[in-house]
Amino acid sequence: MIRGLRGAITIESDKPELVWDETARLVREVVAANNVEVYDIASILISTTPDITSAFPARAVRLMDGWQYVPVMCTHEMDVPNALPLCIRILIHANVEVAQKDVKHLYLNDAVKLRPDLAQAK
């Protein structure tokens, strides 16, 4: 069954290294929390708030060892007033053997404000 694995993370400033490092961290942690292997992943959609323009977060995924064949796409979130700034969100489409209610979604750094009901303590 293909399920959507969600996650979000914030960065301190719009610097390429932070975009790449925190995107890779988020992807790795979501995948680990859900016991997913790279070959179980159908695709990944990554969005950023409009204030992130220094780098494509998809690059972080493409450079991870063994991930070069995973389809990854980036987009910007809607520019909504008072939205959480400097936020990277992911949606991983993966084959998993768990019910939707048992999927673990991770919200890291200040992104815990987005979904405190789903946020994991880190």
Side-chain angles (χ1 to χ4, degrees):
M1 170 79 55
I2 291 187
R3 300 278 187 215
L5 315 176
R6 289 274 294 124
I9 195 165
T10 55
I11 56 177
E12 292 181 13
S13 62
D14 183 25
K15 296 180 181 171
E17 299 78 21
L18 291 175
V19 172
W20 297 325
D21 290 350
E22 293 295 76
T23 299
R25 174 184 166 212
L26 179 60
V27 168
R28 284 188 187 103
E29 290 194 26
V30 169
V31 166
N34 288 283
N35 298 311
V36 172
E37 299 293 334
V38 68
Y39 52 80
D40 293 322
I41 298 172
S43 63
I44 302 175
L45 178 63
I46 303 172
S47 67
T48 66
T49 48
D51 52 359
I52 298 176
T53 60
S54 67
F56 290 107
R59 181 178 187 267
V61 177
R62 291 185 186 112
L63 293 178
M64 291 166 49
D65 191 37
W67 289 69
Q68 66 271 22
Y69 299 113
V70 175
V72 183
M73 184 175 194
C74 292
T75 188
H76 273 304
E77 289 283 330
M78 295 171 49
D79 193 7
V80 176
N82 302 313
L84 183 65
L86 297 169
C87 188
I88 300 166
R89 293 172 173 86
I90 62 170
L91 175 59
I92 299 174
H93 304 99
N95 290 306
V96 295
E97 300 289 329
V98 298
Q100 186 68 47
K101 67 178 182 62
D102 296 324
V103 171
K104 294 176 179 69
H105 307 286
L106 300 182
Y107 293 82
L108 308 176
N109 301 347
D110 280 345
V112 297
K113 296 173 184 174
L114 296 172
R115 292 295 306 264
D117 58 317
L118 297 179
Q120 302 290 319
K122 287 287 174 191

